[in-house]
Amino acid sequence: MEGLGDESGSPAAKWRSDFSRAFQYYLDRSTPHTLRRWLGTLALAMIYVLRVYYIRGFYVVSYGLGIYILNLLIGFLSPKDDPELEALDGASLPTKGSDEFKPFIRRLPEFKFWYAITKAFVVAFVLTFFSVLDVPVFWPILLCYWIVLFVLTMKRQIIHMIKYKYIPFDIGKQSYTSKKSSASSSRAMD
């Protein structure tokens, strides 16, 4: 009677705990390897696309995957503190040189963006093994819907970026070096 309901000592619970710990270990180790992570996700996406192409089905699953990725992309491109919402609260972005500078912080950080997309492709791939989810649809209509949704969403996002003058990428931004590295490089020149 003592062992009923207590699964903490069971082999399944121990295996799940060990797997979870090992998975988190490798996930943590992959954090600094951005390019490798994205290349792996790209390979996973290509495997999914090839599977859908050869099966010639699961277009609704692919459409749902596309909508989910678009939603993640909007979170990735949006600032954590939305200026439109802050304007309602009375706070706003700096308009003068003397105003406080707020760096761009994403609503969805890059690592979480990558992880969510990777999980989405894995789930979509697994869903392609269930024939009940292969709903017959005319896929060009879904593709057109998705393209229209993408264009309208990106247009709105780009207008938001222009209006509040932020760029969610490091392209063209000035980078500063630390005092230690600039001091050591000036000593090396002497």
Short mmCIF file of all heavy atoms in Angstrom, two decimals, residues 71-113:
data_model
loop_
_atom_site.label_atom_id
_atom_site.label_comp_id
_atom_site.label_asym_id
_atom_site.label_seq_id
_atom_site.Cartn_x
_atom_site.Cartn_y
_atom_site.Cartn_z
N ASN A 71 3.76 33.45 -36.84
CA ASN A 71 3.50 34.01 -35.52
C ASN A 71 4.80 34.14 -34.72
O ASN A 71 5.03 35.16 -34.04
CB ASN A 71 2.49 33.13 -34.78
CG ASN A 71 2.10 33.70 -33.44
OD1 ASN A 71 2.07 34.90 -33.25
ND2 ASN A 71 1.79 32.82 -32.51
N LEU A 72 5.66 33.12 -34.78
CA LEU A 72 6.95 33.19 -34.09
C LEU A 72 7.82 34.29 -34.68
O LEU A 72 8.52 35.00 -33.94
CB LEU A 72 7.67 31.85 -34.19
CG LEU A 72 7.08 30.68 -33.42
CD1 LEU A 72 7.84 29.40 -33.75
CD2 LEU A 72 7.09 30.94 -31.93
N LEU A 73 7.80 34.46 -35.99
CA LEU A 73 8.59 35.49 -36.65
C LEU A 73 8.17 36.88 -36.20
O LEU A 73 9.02 37.75 -35.97
CB LEU A 73 8.47 35.36 -38.17
CG LEU A 73 9.29 36.34 -39.00
CD1 LEU A 73 10.78 36.12 -38.76
CD2 LEU A 73 8.96 36.19 -40.47
N ILE A 74 6.88 37.10 -36.04
CA ILE A 74 6.40 38.40 -35.56
C ILE A 74 6.92 38.65 -34.14
O ILE A 74 7.36 39.75 -33.82
CB ILE A 74 4.86 38.46 -35.60
CG1 ILE A 74 4.37 38.42 -37.03
CG2 ILE A 74 4.33 39.70 -34.89
CD1 ILE A 74 4.91 39.53 -37.90
N GLY A 75 6.90 37.63 -33.30
CA GLY A 75 7.45 37.79 -31.95
C GLY A 75 8.94 38.06 -31.97
O GLY A 75 9.46 38.82 -31.16
N PHE A 76 9.64 37.44 -32.91
CA PHE A 76 11.09 37.64 -33.03
C PHE A 76 11.43 39.04 -33.51
O PHE A 76 12.42 39.63 -33.10
CB PHE A 76 11.66 36.59 -34.00
CG PHE A 76 13.13 36.67 -34.21
CD1 PHE A 76 14.01 36.32 -33.20
CD2 PHE A 76 13.65 37.09 -35.43
CE1 PHE A 76 15.38 36.38 -33.40
CE2 PHE A 76 15.01 37.15 -35.64
CZ PHE A 76 15.88 36.80 -34.61
N LEU A 77 10.62 39.60 -34.39
CA LEU A 77 10.89 40.93 -34.95
C LEU A 77 10.33 42.07 -34.11
O LEU A 77 10.66 43.23 -34.35
CB LEU A 77 10.31 41.03 -36.37
CG LEU A 77 10.92 40.11 -37.41
CD1 LEU A 77 10.18 40.26 -38.73
CD2 LEU A 77 12.40 40.37 -37.58
N SER A 78 9.49 41.77 -33.14
CA SER A 78 8.86 42.80 -32.33
C SER A 78 9.67 43.12 -31.09
O SER A 78 10.30 42.23 -30.51
CB SER A 78 7.46 42.35 -31.90
OG SER A 78 6.66 42.13 -33.03
N PRO A 79 9.64 44.37 -30.66
CA PRO A 79 10.34 44.72 -29.42
C PRO A 79 9.56 44.22 -28.20
O PRO A 79 8.33 44.09 -28.24
CB PRO A 79 10.38 46.25 -29.46
CG PRO A 79 9.25 46.65 -30.32
CD PRO A 79 9.05 45.54 -31.31
N LYS A 80 10.30 43.95 -27.15
CA LYS A 80 9.67 43.47 -25.91
C LYS A 80 8.72 44.52 -25.36
O LYS A 80 7.62 44.22 -24.94
CB LYS A 80 10.74 43.11 -24.89
CG LYS A 80 10.20 42.53 -23.62
CD LYS A 80 11.32 42.11 -22.70
CE LYS A 80 10.77 41.47 -21.45
NZ LYS A 80 11.83 41.07 -20.55
N ASP A 81 9.19 45.77 -25.34
CA ASP A 81 8.36 46.87 -24.88
C ASP A 81 7.82 47.59 -26.11
O ASP A 81 8.53 48.37 -26.75
CB ASP A 81 9.19 47.84 -24.02
CG ASP A 81 9.75 47.15 -22.79
OD1 ASP A 81 9.03 46.33 -22.21
OD2 ASP A 81 10.91 47.42 -22.43
N ASP A 82 6.58 47.30 -26.46
CA ASP A 82 5.99 47.87 -27.67
C ASP A 82 5.71 49.35 -27.47
O ASP A 82 5.00 49.74 -26.54
CB ASP A 82 4.69 47.13 -28.00
CG ASP A 82 4.18 47.44 -29.39
OD1 ASP A 82 4.79 48.27 -30.08
OD2 ASP A 82 3.17 46.83 -29.78
N PRO A 83 6.26 50.21 -28.34
CA PRO A 83 6.05 51.65 -28.20
C PRO A 83 4.59 52.07 -28.32
O PRO A 83 4.18 53.05 -27.70
CB PRO A 83 6.86 52.26 -29.35
CG PRO A 83 7.81 51.20 -29.76
CD PRO A 83 7.18 49.90 -29.41
N GLU A 84 3.79 51.34 -29.09
CA GLU A 84 2.37 51.67 -29.20
C GLU A 84 1.65 51.49 -27.87
O GLU A 84 0.81 52.28 -27.51
CB GLU A 84 1.71 50.83 -30.29
CG GLU A 84 2.09 51.26 -31.68
CD GLU A 84 1.38 50.45 -32.76
OE1 GLU A 84 0.76 49.42 -32.44
OE2 GLU A 84 1.47 50.87 -33.92
N LEU A 85 2.00 50.44 -27.16
CA LEU A 85 1.38 50.21 -25.86
C LEU A 85 1.91 51.19 -24.82
O LEU A 85 1.18 51.62 -23.94
CB LEU A 85 1.63 48.77 -25.40
CG LEU A 85 1.03 47.68 -26.30
CD1 LEU A 85 1.41 46.31 -25.79
CD2 LEU A 85 -0.47 47.82 -26.41
N GLU A 86 3.21 51.54 -24.92
CA GLU A 86 3.79 52.50 -23.98
C GLU A 86 3.21 53.89 -24.20
O GLU A 86 3.10 54.67 -23.27
CB GLU A 86 5.30 52.53 -24.12
CG GLU A 86 5.98 51.32 -23.55
CD GLU A 86 7.49 51.38 -23.66
OE1 GLU A 86 8.02 52.40 -24.16
OE2 GLU A 86 8.13 50.41 -23.25
N ALA A 87 2.85 54.21 -25.44
CA ALA A 87 2.25 55.52 -25.73
C ALA A 87 0.91 55.65 -25.00
O ALA A 87 0.54 56.74 -24.55
CB ALA A 87 2.06 55.70 -27.22
N LEU A 88 0.20 54.55 -24.85
CA LEU A 88 -1.05 54.58 -24.11
C LEU A 88 -0.81 54.80 -22.62
O LEU A 88 -1.62 55.40 -21.93
CB LEU A 88 -1.83 53.28 -24.33
CG LEU A 88 -2.27 52.99 -25.76
CD1 LEU A 88 -2.90 51.60 -25.83
CD2 LEU A 88 -3.22 54.05 -26.26
N ASP A 89 0.34 54.32 -22.13
CA ASP A 89 0.69 54.47 -20.72
C ASP A 89 1.36 55.81 -20.44
O ASP A 89 1.61 56.13 -19.28
CB ASP A 89 1.64 53.34 -20.28
CG ASP A 89 0.97 51.99 -20.34
OD1 ASP A 89 -0.27 51.95 -20.31
OD2 ASP A 89 1.69 50.99 -20.41
N GLY A 90 1.71 56.55 -21.47
CA GLY A 90 2.37 57.83 -21.26
C GLY A 90 3.86 57.75 -21.51
O GLY A 90 4.52 58.77 -21.68
N ALA A 91 4.44 56.56 -21.55
CA ALA A 91 5.87 56.41 -21.84
C ALA A 91 6.06 56.35 -23.35
O ALA A 91 5.18 55.94 -24.08
CB ALA A 91 6.40 55.13 -21.20
N SER A 92 7.22 56.80 -23.82
CA SER A 92 7.48 56.75 -25.26
C SER A 92 8.96 56.57 -25.51
O SER A 92 9.78 56.70 -24.61
CB SER A 92 6.98 58.03 -25.93
OG SER A 92 7.71 59.13 -25.45
N LEU A 93 9.30 56.32 -26.77
CA LEU A 93 10.70 56.19 -27.16
C LEU A 93 11.38 57.54 -27.10
O LEU A 93 10.72 58.57 -27.22
CB LEU A 93 10.80 55.63 -28.58
CG LEU A 93 10.47 54.16 -28.76
CD1 LEU A 93 10.52 53.79 -30.23
CD2 LEU A 93 11.44 53.30 -27.98
N PRO A 94 12.69 57.56 -26.92
CA PRO A 94 13.39 58.84 -26.88
C PRO A 94 13.28 59.56 -28.23
O PRO A 94 13.42 58.96 -29.27
CB PRO A 94 14.84 58.46 -26.58
CG PRO A 94 14.93 57.00 -26.72
CD PRO A 94 13.57 56.43 -26.70
N THR A 95 13.00 60.85 -28.17
CA THR A 95 12.90 61.64 -29.39
C THR A 95 14.03 62.65 -29.50
O THR A 95 14.27 63.19 -30.56
CB THR A 95 11.56 62.40 -29.44
OG1 THR A 95 11.44 63.20 -28.25
CG2 THR A 95 10.40 61.42 -29.54
N LYS A 96 14.74 62.91 -28.41
CA LYS A 96 15.86 63.86 -28.41
C LYS A 96 17.11 63.12 -27.98
O LYS A 96 17.04 62.04 -27.40
CB LYS A 96 15.59 64.99 -27.41
CG LYS A 96 14.32 65.75 -27.68
CD LYS A 96 14.09 66.75 -26.56
CE LYS A 96 12.66 67.25 -26.61
NZ LYS A 96 12.25 67.86 -25.37
N GLY A 97 18.25 63.75 -28.24
CA GLY A 97 19.52 63.14 -27.84
C GLY A 97 19.67 63.02 -26.34
O GLY A 97 20.40 62.18 -25.83
N SER A 98 18.97 63.86 -25.59
CA SER A 98 19.09 63.84 -24.14
C SER A 98 18.17 62.82 -23.49
O SER A 98 18.28 62.56 -22.30
CB SER A 98 18.80 65.23 -23.56
OG SER A 98 17.47 65.60 -23.90
N ASP A 99 17.23 62.26 -24.26
CA ASP A 99 16.31 61.26 -23.71
C ASP A 99 17.05 59.95 -23.43
O ASP A 99 18.12 59.69 -23.97
CB ASP A 99 15.16 60.98 -24.68
CG ASP A 99 14.15 62.11 -24.72
OD1 ASP A 99 14.24 62.99 -23.86
OD2 ASP A 99 13.31 62.10 -25.63
N GLU A 100 16.45 59.13 -22.59
CA GLU A 100 17.04 57.85 -22.22
C GLU A 100 17.04 56.90 -23.41
O GLU A 100 16.06 56.78 -24.13
CB GLU A 100 16.23 57.23 -21.08
CG GLU A 100 16.72 55.87 -20.66
CD GLU A 100 15.81 55.21 -19.63
OE1 GLU A 100 14.83 55.83 -19.23
OE2 GLU A 100 16.11 54.08 -19.26
N PHE A 101 18.16 56.21 -23.61
CA PHE A 101 18.29 55.23 -24.69
C PHE A 101 17.80 53.88 -24.21
O PHE A 101 18.17 53.41 -23.14
CB PHE A 101 19.75 55.11 -25.14
CG PHE A 101 20.00 53.96 -26.06
CD1 PHE A 101 19.54 53.99 -27.36
CD2 PHE A 101 20.67 52.83 -25.61
CE1 PHE A 101 19.76 52.92 -28.21
CE2 PHE A 101 20.89 51.76 -26.45
CZ PHE A 101 20.43 51.82 -27.76
N LYS A 102 16.94 53.24 -25.02
CA LYS A 102 16.46 51.90 -24.71
C LYS A 102 16.91 50.98 -25.83
O LYS A 102 16.51 51.16 -26.97
CB LYS A 102 14.94 51.87 -24.61
CG LYS A 102 14.38 52.61 -23.44
CD LYS A 102 12.88 52.46 -23.40
CE LYS A 102 12.29 53.19 -22.23
NZ LYS A 102 10.83 53.06 -22.20
N PRO A 103 17.76 50.00 -25.53
CA PRO A 103 18.21 49.09 -26.59
C PRO A 103 17.06 48.19 -27.05
O PRO A 103 16.10 47.98 -26.33
CB PRO A 103 19.31 48.28 -25.92
CG PRO A 103 18.97 48.32 -24.47
CD PRO A 103 18.32 49.66 -24.23
N PHE A 104 17.21 47.67 -28.27
CA PHE A 104 16.20 46.78 -28.81
C PHE A 104 16.31 45.42 -28.12
O PHE A 104 17.34 44.76 -28.19
CB PHE A 104 16.36 46.62 -30.32
CG PHE A 104 15.33 45.73 -30.93
CD1 PHE A 104 14.07 46.22 -31.20
CD2 PHE A 104 15.60 44.40 -31.21
CE1 PHE A 104 13.09 45.40 -31.75
CE2 PHE A 104 14.64 43.58 -31.75
CZ PHE A 104 13.38 44.08 -32.03
N ILE A 105 15.24 45.04 -27.48
CA ILE A 105 15.16 43.72 -26.84
C ILE A 105 13.96 43.01 -27.47
O ILE A 105 12.85 43.55 -27.50
CB ILE A 105 14.98 43.82 -25.32
CG1 ILE A 105 16.15 44.58 -24.70
CG2 ILE A 105 14.83 42.45 -24.70
CD1 ILE A 105 15.98 44.91 -23.25
N ARG A 106 14.20 41.83 -28.00
CA ARG A 106 13.15 41.09 -28.69
C ARG A 106 12.09 40.56 -27.73
O ARG A 106 12.40 40.19 -26.60
CB ARG A 106 13.74 39.90 -29.43
CG ARG A 106 14.74 40.28 -30.48
CD ARG A 106 15.30 39.02 -31.14
NE ARG A 106 16.43 39.32 -31.96
CZ ARG A 106 16.35 39.90 -33.16
NH1 ARG A 106 15.19 40.23 -33.63
NH2 ARG A 106 17.43 40.14 -33.85
N ARG A 107 10.86 40.50 -28.22
CA ARG A 107 9.80 39.87 -27.44
C ARG A 107 10.06 38.37 -27.34
O ARG A 107 9.79 37.73 -26.32
CB ARG A 107 8.45 40.12 -28.10
CG ARG A 107 7.32 39.63 -27.25
CD ARG A 107 5.94 39.88 -27.77
NE ARG A 107 5.80 40.84 -28.82
CZ ARG A 107 4.92 40.73 -29.80
NH1 ARG A 107 4.11 39.70 -29.86
NH2 ARG A 107 4.81 41.65 -30.74
N LEU A 108 10.59 37.78 -28.43
CA LEU A 108 10.94 36.36 -28.45
C LEU A 108 12.43 36.25 -28.77
O LEU A 108 12.85 36.51 -29.89
CB LEU A 108 10.12 35.63 -29.52
CG LEU A 108 10.33 34.13 -29.65
CD1 LEU A 108 9.90 33.42 -28.37
CD2 LEU A 108 9.56 33.59 -30.84
N PRO A 109 13.26 35.90 -27.80
CA PRO A 109 14.71 35.81 -28.04
C PRO A 109 15.05 34.77 -29.11
O PRO A 109 14.28 33.85 -29.37
CB PRO A 109 15.27 35.40 -26.68
CG PRO A 109 14.21 35.70 -25.69
CD PRO A 109 12.90 35.61 -26.41
N GLU A 110 16.23 34.93 -29.70
CA GLU A 110 16.65 34.08 -30.81
C GLU A 110 16.66 32.60 -30.42
O GLU A 110 16.21 31.75 -31.19
CB GLU A 110 18.05 34.50 -31.29
CG GLU A 110 18.57 33.73 -32.47
CD GLU A 110 19.32 32.46 -32.10
OE1 GLU A 110 19.88 32.39 -30.99
OE2 GLU A 110 19.32 31.52 -32.92
N PHE A 111 17.16 32.25 -29.25
CA PHE A 111 17.24 30.85 -28.86
C PHE A 111 15.85 30.25 -28.73
O PHE A 111 15.59 29.14 -29.22
CB PHE A 111 18.01 30.68 -27.55
CG PHE A 111 18.21 29.25 -27.17
CD1 PHE A 111 19.21 28.50 -27.77
CD2 PHE A 111 17.39 28.64 -26.24
CE1 PHE A 111 19.39 27.16 -27.43
CE2 PHE A 111 17.56 27.32 -25.90
CZ PHE A 111 18.56 26.58 -26.50
N LYS A 112 14.92 30.96 -28.11
CA LYS A 112 13.55 30.45 -27.97
C LYS A 112 12.86 30.38 -29.33
O LYS A 112 12.06 29.48 -29.58
CB LYS A 112 12.76 31.33 -27.01
CG LYS A 112 13.19 31.18 -25.58
CD LYS A 112 12.35 32.01 -24.65
CE LYS A 112 12.80 31.83 -23.21
NZ LYS A 112 11.98 32.61 -22.28
N PHE A 113 13.17 31.33 -30.21
CA PHE A 113 12.65 31.32 -31.57
C PHE A 113 13.12 30.07 -32.30
O PHE A 113 12.32 29.34 -32.89
CB PHE A 113 13.12 32.59 -32.28
CG PHE A 113 12.71 32.74 -33.72
CD1 PHE A 113 11.38 32.72 -34.08
CD2 PHE A 113 13.65 32.93 -34.70
CE1 PHE A 113 11.00 32.88 -35.41
CE2 PHE A 113 13.30 33.09 -36.02
CZ PHE A 113 11.96 33.06 -36.37
#
